Amino acid sequence: MYKPEVHRTVDRVQLLEKLDFDLTITDAAYTSDHSTEGELRVFRKADEQAVEDREHPPTHVTEPIAKHVRDALDVGGQSSAFPGTRLFVGLARETPVKQEEGGFQDDYVTEAMRVDGVPENGVVEFDTDWELQEARRSVAEGISKVDEEPYEIADLPADHLPIIVRAEIRRDARRIEQVLQMADHDDMRGHARFEGLAALLIEVEHRDTTATDRSMRVDGFRMEMSRTFPQAEFYPQQGSTYDPESKRVEWGASRIKPGEAATFAVVGPIGELLDIDRIDADLRAKLPGQTLSGMTVAGVFDESGEPVDDETAPPVTGSPDRIDETIRITADVELDPSALRGEAQEVSNATVSVGIPPAELFDRVVDICDRNGIHITDRQAPGEATPVTGRSGVFEISGEQMGELDVRREYGDEGVVYASMEIEGRFAGETEEQQVSAFDESEDRLVRRTEGLDEQGQSTIAITARSASSELNSRFISTIEDSFGGGV
Amino acid sequence: MSERQEIREFLACDNHGDRGVDSVCGECGTAVCDDCSTSVTDLTLDHYEREGFGRILGAVLVLIGGLLLVDQIPRQFWLALVDLAGQPLYIQGGLKQGLILLGIGLLGTVWIRTTDEGFGVTNRRAILRKRNARTVCEDCYGPKRTQRAILAAFWLLGAGIAVYGLYQSFSGLNFGPLRTAGLGAGLWVLRYELATAVVALIE
């Protein structure tokens, strides 16, 4: 039975996908981002035999002579696969599918998510050869070496994320009790103890995206505050360590079942909570036995092309599998509690159509913002226009090229509205206009030019406003709409 | 394993798309199914086993047999054989040289590994080189076929010479060509080492 070195030295093959989740809520920004990447990793450890094979490789009895002959002929050494360090890791992928809302039983759509860098169905080759020194050190110090093959996961849809992080401030004692009671059963005072207090809640939800019922393993959650105050209490109390000196709270390991959420809270008087300028929280968690992209390790093969037998692993009960898939999640939350005052929970959408070209509309909106005390936090002017197919002389700005504005409008004590506006539309090109007048201004040409277009353009602003109440949202939307004299 | 089996996917054959492929090409790594792969004994896919001592012992015995025993056998024995055949057999010289050639051939199949223990000759261990089967795809089968052809050539050469020598010896009852048979047997015994050397030269 052929047992090359990889059977002994490779102890683990892991497909690790990393999800970085960022949530920033400050006065200047309300962003929620994620990035994903993957890595195929091979863990290996040299053994005595591996050192031996490199220190004293087998030589043929004629080697002392053969060496001189080879040198004289200037030819390479022997062709041999010994000691057998090549490892093939087979990858397979089941493209994640989703069922359309209201679709029939078999109406599945494959997600557009892509994997770049490794084959979706194929083999990645690793050369697990050792340098003699390296092998010696690995044996002496018991160090594993990790070979990595990184890959990209592109276009992961947001609704496929296994985690959602939310932050909010609650002032209703009953509601606070309701949110926190899951973790704390021992206190019989009920919601009375939260009377007159507020809670800053960071909620981590493990979304039920897969069919498995495996829990998310939270390795730790840490919260660092720019300032703290004596009455501060932290929930869940169990498992938390509070260090007032460094203004830091840490929670230990826990598990979150699919569909459930873990809530971490700072409770105290609202004034004190709002005085904290900045809270940095980070979560480290793992989802074992799953991948975001649907990739799995389908098999591990040695140089003979046959699978590396799983039975060669020491049969220790409960030992980690030699092959595993894991999603590693890190979530960074940056909070300014005063930005949460308004609890930007309500989202309203509106679309305004205006009969002018998109570029002009963009300038008009910027102007409107300036006049109405709307603070622009981020802007991107409309990009290049592309000709509309089948409509000569008509150009379009949409998709990547659309104009975007992120704005903030404060309504005193009532709250803050955060809004993003996307501007896109069509317009008749000037060149066409000139050509028409210079040429023969026959009627059908003119009709074609302006068909479906009012004046020289037709644009829309898509407004997404978020704030504490829909009333504030609609007030903000009205401000924009009214500036255009009631729309079209 | 139970945790993994839930999500386990299977590799699909690159050529036919069959799911559940359980081997890859040992050279290029392409996933292959049974229909588009073959298993060949590959000279370059080697491992070593600690069975060399027996081989050395055998080789030494053959050499001793050739060098000493043939001379030690009483002259009367050979003369008796000649009397029996009624003609000169030249058996002594042929047998001696044949055995020496075979012994050298056997010695040539032994590999040596030095160890940390001892010094001088005592820290050497005799081992044997073994070949293994490798699954290869159609594209990678080409070089393996060359290799097999070289091996077959040495096989035929060694066996051919040996058989020729034996035939010559017995047909003419002139055992001088036993040395040829010994050479052939030595070549045949050494066929793997010789083929490996040639493969190393042409690759």
Side-chain angles (χ1 to χ4, degrees), chain A residues 157-178:
Chain A
D159 63 359
H160 215 77
L161 290 178
I163 183 176
I164 300 182
V165 182
R166 293 188 210 90
E168 57 182 347
I169 285 182
R170 290 276 176 198
R171 299 185 216 188
D172 177 355
R174 229 176 253 284
R175 177 86 182 107
I176 295 172
E177 204 253 342
Q178 210 176 57

PDB file of all heavy atoms in Angstrom, chain A residues 157-178:
ATOM      1  N   PRO A 157     -24.715  38.350  -2.214  1.00  0.00           N
ATOM      2  CA  PRO A 157     -25.885  39.197  -1.973  1.00  0.00           C
ATOM      3  C   PRO A 157     -26.067  39.461  -0.477  1.00  0.00           C
ATOM      4  O   PRO A 157     -25.803  38.581   0.345  1.00  0.00           O
ATOM      5  CB  PRO A 157     -27.045  38.366  -2.519  1.00  0.00           C
ATOM      6  CG  PRO A 157     -26.511  37.044  -2.857  1.00  0.00           C
ATOM      7  CD  PRO A 157     -25.042  37.019  -2.678  1.00  0.00           C
ATOM      8  N   ALA A 158     -26.504  40.678  -0.172  1.00  0.00           N
ATOM      9  CA  ALA A 158     -26.616  41.067   1.236  1.00  0.00           C
ATOM     10  C   ALA A 158     -27.606  40.171   1.976  1.00  0.00           C
ATOM     11  O   ALA A 158     -27.439  39.897   3.157  1.00  0.00           O
ATOM     12  CB  ALA A 158     -27.038  42.523   1.342  1.00  0.00           C
ATOM     13  N   ASP A 159     -28.614  39.676   1.268  1.00  0.00           N
ATOM     14  CA  ASP A 159     -29.596  38.860   1.986  1.00  0.00           C
ATOM     15  C   ASP A 159     -29.082  37.440   2.231  1.00  0.00           C
ATOM     16  O   ASP A 159     -29.784  36.585   2.738  1.00  0.00           O
ATOM     17  CB  ASP A 159     -30.953  38.844   1.261  1.00  0.00           C
ATOM     18  CG  ASP A 159     -30.852  38.200  -0.109  1.00  0.00           C
ATOM     19  OD1 ASP A 159     -29.735  37.799  -0.488  1.00  0.00           O
ATOM     20  OD2 ASP A 159     -31.874  38.108  -0.793  1.00  0.00           O
ATOM     21  N   HIS A 160     -27.840  37.211   1.845  1.00  0.00           N
ATOM     22  CA  HIS A 160     -27.260  35.891   2.075  1.00  0.00           C
ATOM     23  C   HIS A 160     -26.321  35.901   3.278  1.00  0.00           C
ATOM     24  O   HIS A 160     -25.731  34.895   3.625  1.00  0.00           O
ATOM     25  CB  HIS A 160     -26.488  35.466   0.828  1.00  0.00           C
ATOM     26  CG  HIS A 160     -26.566  34.006   0.563  1.00  0.00           C
ATOM     27  ND1 HIS A 160     -27.674  33.415   0.019  1.00  0.00           N
ATOM     28  CD2 HIS A 160     -25.686  33.014   0.805  1.00  0.00           C
ATOM     29  CE1 HIS A 160     -27.457  32.125  -0.076  1.00  0.00           C
ATOM     30  NE2 HIS A 160     -26.263  31.857   0.404  1.00  0.00           N
ATOM     31  N   LEU A 161     -26.166  37.076   3.850  1.00  0.00           N
ATOM     32  CA  LEU A 161     -25.259  37.180   4.997  1.00  0.00           C
ATOM     33  C   LEU A 161     -25.812  36.394   6.173  1.00  0.00           C
ATOM     34  O   LEU A 161     -26.993  36.453   6.465  1.00  0.00           O
ATOM     35  CB  LEU A 161     -25.112  38.651   5.414  1.00  0.00           C
ATOM     36  CG  LEU A 161     -24.353  39.561   4.475  1.00  0.00           C
ATOM     37  CD1 LEU A 161     -24.362  40.974   5.021  1.00  0.00           C
ATOM     38  CD2 LEU A 161     -22.931  39.074   4.321  1.00  0.00           C
ATOM     39  N   PRO A 162     -24.951  35.660   6.862  1.00  0.00           N
ATOM     40  CA  PRO A 162     -25.446  34.883   7.995  1.00  0.00           C
ATOM     41  C   PRO A 162     -25.625  35.727   9.261  1.00  0.00           C
ATOM     42  O   PRO A 162     -26.078  35.217  10.275  1.00  0.00           O
ATOM     43  CB  PRO A 162     -24.341  33.844   8.205  1.00  0.00           C
ATOM     44  CG  PRO A 162     -23.118  34.462   7.644  1.00  0.00           C
ATOM     45  CD  PRO A 162     -23.539  35.402   6.565  1.00  0.00           C
ATOM     46  N   ILE A 163     -25.249  37.002   9.177  1.00  0.00           N
ATOM     47  CA  ILE A 163     -25.281  37.802  10.392  1.00  0.00           C
ATOM     48  C   ILE A 163     -25.794  39.218  10.092  1.00  0.00           C
ATOM     49  O   ILE A 163     -25.557  39.748   9.010  1.00  0.00           O
ATOM     50  CB  ILE A 163     -23.860  37.862  11.001  1.00  0.00           C
ATOM     51  CG1 ILE A 163     -23.854  38.624  12.316  1.00  0.00           C
ATOM     52  CG2 ILE A 163     -22.875  38.471  10.052  1.00  0.00           C
ATOM     53  CD1 ILE A 163     -22.505  38.617  13.000  1.00  0.00           C
ATOM     54  N   ILE A 164     -26.522  39.749  11.040  1.00  0.00           N
ATOM     55  CA  ILE A 164     -26.911  41.156  10.951  1.00  0.00           C
ATOM     56  C   ILE A 164     -26.577  41.784  12.290  1.00  0.00           C
ATOM     57  O   ILE A 164     -26.823  41.186  13.342  1.00  0.00           O
ATOM     58  CB  ILE A 164     -28.417  41.345  10.718  1.00  0.00           C
ATOM     59  CG1 ILE A 164     -28.847  40.675   9.426  1.00  0.00           C
ATOM     60  CG2 ILE A 164     -28.778  42.822  10.663  1.00  0.00           C
ATOM     61  CD1 ILE A 164     -30.313  40.883   9.157  1.00  0.00           C
ATOM     62  N   VAL A 165     -25.994  42.954  12.262  1.00  0.00           N
ATOM     63  CA  VAL A 165     -25.701  43.660  13.500  1.00  0.00           C
ATOM     64  C   VAL A 165     -26.507  44.945  13.500  1.00  0.00           C
ATOM     65  O   VAL A 165     -26.531  45.673  12.517  1.00  0.00           O
ATOM     66  CB  VAL A 165     -24.193  43.967  13.615  1.00  0.00           C
ATOM     67  CG1 VAL A 165     -23.902  44.666  14.926  1.00  0.00           C
ATOM     68  CG2 VAL A 165     -23.382  42.696  13.502  1.00  0.00           C
ATOM     69  N   ARG A 166     -27.208  45.183  14.584  1.00  0.00           N
ATOM     70  CA  ARG A 166     -28.004  46.397  14.705  1.00  0.00           C
ATOM     71  C   ARG A 166     -27.638  47.094  15.999  1.00  0.00           C
ATOM     72  O   ARG A 166     -27.185  46.469  16.955  1.00  0.00           O
ATOM     73  CB  ARG A 166     -29.498  46.066  14.770  1.00  0.00           C
ATOM     74  CG  ARG A 166     -30.066  45.490  13.512  1.00  0.00           C
ATOM     75  CD  ARG A 166     -31.579  45.391  13.642  1.00  0.00           C
ATOM     76  NE  ARG A 166     -32.037  44.268  12.849  1.00  0.00           N
ATOM     77  CZ  ARG A 166     -32.142  43.031  13.315  1.00  0.00           C
ATOM     78  NH1 ARG A 166     -31.860  42.785  14.586  1.00  0.00           N
ATOM     79  NH2 ARG A 166     -32.531  42.051  12.540  1.00  0.00           N
ATOM     80  N   ALA A 167     -27.850  48.388  16.008  1.00  0.00           N
ATOM     81  CA  ALA A 167     -27.617  49.134  17.242  1.00  0.00           C
ATOM     82  C   ALA A 167     -28.776  50.090  17.444  1.00  0.00           C
ATOM     83  O   ALA A 167     -29.298  50.646  16.477  1.00  0.00           O
ATOM     84  CB  ALA A 167     -26.310  49.902  17.144  1.00  0.00           C
ATOM     85  N   GLU A 168     -29.189  50.230  18.686  1.00  0.00           N
ATOM     86  CA  GLU A 168     -30.271  51.175  18.955  1.00  0.00           C
ATOM     87  C   GLU A 168     -30.237  51.602  20.414  1.00  0.00           C
ATOM     88  O   GLU A 168     -29.606  50.966  21.253  1.00  0.00           O
ATOM     89  CB  GLU A 168     -31.629  50.543  18.623  1.00  0.00           C
ATOM     90  CG  GLU A 168     -31.888  49.251  19.369  1.00  0.00           C
ATOM     91  CD  GLU A 168     -33.224  48.619  18.988  1.00  0.00           C
ATOM     92  OE1 GLU A 168     -34.032  49.287  18.345  1.00  0.00           O
ATOM     93  OE2 GLU A 168     -33.432  47.457  19.377  1.00  0.00           O
ATOM     94  N   ILE A 169     -30.922  52.698  20.671  1.00  0.00           N
ATOM     95  CA  ILE A 169     -31.080  53.154  22.052  1.00  0.00           C
ATOM     96  C   ILE A 169     -32.556  53.041  22.391  1.00  0.00           C
ATOM     97  O   ILE A 169     -33.418  53.473  21.624  1.00  0.00           O
ATOM     98  CB  ILE A 169     -30.593  54.610  22.225  1.00  0.00           C
ATOM     99  CG1 ILE A 169     -29.068  54.637  22.207  1.00  0.00           C
ATOM    100  CG2 ILE A 169     -31.108  55.183  23.544  1.00  0.00           C
ATOM    101  CD1 ILE A 169     -28.473  56.004  22.423  1.00  0.00           C
ATOM    102  N   ARG A 170     -32.834  52.398  23.540  1.00  0.00           N
ATOM    103  CA  ARG A 170     -34.218  52.229  23.975  1.00  0.00           C
ATOM    104  C   ARG A 170     -34.409  52.938  25.301  1.00  0.00           C
ATOM    105  O   ARG A 170     -33.540  52.876  26.171  1.00  0.00           O
ATOM    106  CB  ARG A 170     -34.527  50.734  24.164  1.00  0.00           C
ATOM    107  CG  ARG A 170     -34.582  49.963  22.879  1.00  0.00           C
ATOM    108  CD  ARG A 170     -35.941  50.098  22.274  1.00  0.00           C
ATOM    109  NE  ARG A 170     -35.977  49.417  20.970  1.00  0.00           N
ATOM    110  CZ  ARG A 170     -36.913  49.651  20.073  1.00  0.00           C
ATOM    111  NH1 ARG A 170     -37.873  50.513  20.326  1.00  0.00           N
ATOM    112  NH2 ARG A 170     -36.900  49.023  18.930  1.00  0.00           N
ATOM    113  N   ARG A 171     -35.551  53.581  25.444  1.00  0.00           N
ATOM    114  CA  ARG A 171     -35.791  54.262  26.718  1.00  0.00           C
ATOM    115  C   ARG A 171     -36.987  53.684  27.455  1.00  0.00           C
ATOM    116  O   ARG A 171     -37.281  54.076  28.577  1.00  0.00           O
ATOM    117  CB  ARG A 171     -36.055  55.750  26.466  1.00  0.00           C
ATOM    118  CG  ARG A 171     -34.871  56.414  25.818  1.00  0.00           C
ATOM    119  CD  ARG A 171     -35.099  57.876  25.687  1.00  0.00           C
ATOM    120  NE  ARG A 171     -34.504  58.359  24.456  1.00  0.00           N
ATOM    121  CZ  ARG A 171     -34.404  59.628  24.139  1.00  0.00           C
ATOM    122  NH1 ARG A 171     -34.886  60.543  24.952  1.00  0.00           N
ATOM    123  NH2 ARG A 171     -33.854  59.992  23.022  1.00  0.00           N
ATOM    124  N   ASP A 172     -37.693  52.779  26.820  1.00  0.00           N
ATOM    125  CA  ASP A 172     -38.893  52.208  27.405  1.00  0.00           C
ATOM    126  C   ASP A 172     -38.502  50.996  28.261  1.00  0.00           C
ATOM    127  O   ASP A 172     -38.013  49.992  27.751  1.00  0.00           O
ATOM    128  CB  ASP A 172     -39.815  51.786  26.244  1.00  0.00           C
ATOM    129  CG  ASP A 172     -41.065  51.109  26.742  1.00  0.00           C
ATOM    130  OD1 ASP A 172     -41.165  50.876  27.964  1.00  0.00           O
ATOM    131  OD2 ASP A 172     -41.925  50.799  25.904  1.00  0.00           O
ATOM    132  N   ALA A 173     -38.712  51.119  29.570  1.00  0.00           N
ATOM    133  CA  ALA A 173     -38.260  50.081  30.502  1.00  0.00           C
ATOM    134  C   ALA A 173     -38.827  48.713  30.156  1.00  0.00           C
ATOM    135  O   ALA A 173     -38.142  47.697  30.202  1.00  0.00           O
ATOM    136  CB  ALA A 173     -38.640  50.459  31.932  1.00  0.00           C
ATOM    137  N   ARG A 174     -40.096  48.698  29.779  1.00  0.00           N
ATOM    138  CA  ARG A 174     -40.746  47.437  29.450  1.00  0.00           C
ATOM    139  C   ARG A 174     -40.068  46.770  28.250  1.00  0.00           C
ATOM    140  O   ARG A 174     -39.821  45.578  28.225  1.00  0.00           O
ATOM    141  CB  ARG A 174     -42.219  47.710  29.110  1.00  0.00           C
ATOM    142  CG  ARG A 174     -43.168  46.817  29.830  1.00  0.00           C
ATOM    143  CD  ARG A 174     -44.586  47.251  29.501  1.00  0.00           C
ATOM    144  NE  ARG A 174     -45.197  47.911  30.637  1.00  0.00           N
ATOM    145  CZ  ARG A 174     -45.655  47.248  31.701  1.00  0.00           C
ATOM    146  NH1 ARG A 174     -45.566  45.952  31.758  1.00  0.00           N
ATOM    147  NH2 ARG A 174     -46.203  47.885  32.704  1.00  0.00           N
ATOM    148  N   ARG A 175     -39.783  47.610  27.291  1.00  0.00           N
ATOM    149  CA  ARG A 175     -39.162  47.109  26.061  1.00  0.00           C
ATOM    150  C   ARG A 175     -37.738  46.615  26.348  1.00  0.00           C
ATOM    151  O   ARG A 175     -37.313  45.571  25.855  1.00  0.00           O
ATOM    152  CB  ARG A 175     -39.149  48.249  25.024  1.00  0.00           C
ATOM    153  CG  ARG A 175     -38.484  47.899  23.731  1.00  0.00           C
ATOM    154  CD  ARG A 175     -39.431  47.225  22.754  1.00  0.00           C
ATOM    155  NE  ARG A 175     -38.695  46.869  21.551  1.00  0.00           N
ATOM    156  CZ  ARG A 175     -38.358  45.633  21.215  1.00  0.00           C
ATOM    157  NH1 ARG A 175     -38.722  44.631  21.970  1.00  0.00           N
ATOM    158  NH2 ARG A 175     -37.680  45.404  20.117  1.00  0.00           N
ATOM    159  N   ILE A 176     -37.019  47.370  27.187  1.00  0.00           N
ATOM    160  CA  ILE A 176     -35.653  46.968  27.535  1.00  0.00           C
ATOM    161  C   ILE A 176     -35.687  45.605  28.210  1.00  0.00           C
ATOM    162  O   ILE A 176     -34.916  44.702  27.882  1.00  0.00           O
ATOM    163  CB  ILE A 176     -34.991  48.005  28.478  1.00  0.00           C
ATOM    164  CG1 ILE A 176     -34.825  49.335  27.763  1.00  0.00           C
ATOM    165  CG2 ILE A 176     -33.634  47.496  28.966  1.00  0.00           C
ATOM    166  CD1 ILE A 176     -34.375  50.463  28.662  1.00  0.00           C
ATOM    167  N   GLU A 177     -36.626  45.472  29.144  1.00  0.00           N
ATOM    168  CA  GLU A 177     -36.725  44.210  29.874  1.00  0.00           C
ATOM    169  C   GLU A 177     -37.006  43.068  28.902  1.00  0.00           C
ATOM    170  O   GLU A 177     -36.420  42.003  28.975  1.00  0.00           O
ATOM    171  CB  GLU A 177     -37.840  44.323  30.918  1.00  0.00           C
ATOM    172  CG  GLU A 177     -37.673  43.363  32.078  1.00  0.00           C
ATOM    173  CD  GLU A 177     -38.656  42.235  32.029  1.00  0.00           C
ATOM    174  OE1 GLU A 177     -39.667  42.381  31.317  1.00  0.00           O
ATOM    175  OE2 GLU A 177     -38.405  41.209  32.684  1.00  0.00           O
ATOM    176  N   GLN A 178     -37.911  43.373  27.975  1.00  0.00           N
ATOM    177  CA  GLN A 178     -38.298  42.360  26.989  1.00  0.00           C
ATOM    178  C   GLN A 178     -37.094  41.898  26.160  1.00  0.00           C
ATOM    179  O   GLN A 178     -36.893  40.712  25.944  1.00  0.00           O
ATOM    180  CB  GLN A 178     -39.318  43.011  26.055  1.00  0.00           C
ATOM    181  CG  GLN A 178     -40.313  42.079  25.473  1.00  0.00           C
ATOM    182  CD  GLN A 178     -41.304  42.885  24.649  1.00  0.00           C
ATOM    183  OE1 GLN A 178     -40.920  43.601  23.723  1.00  0.00           O
ATOM    184  NE2 GLN A 178     -42.571  42.793  24.979  1.00  0.00           N
TER     185      GLN A 178
END
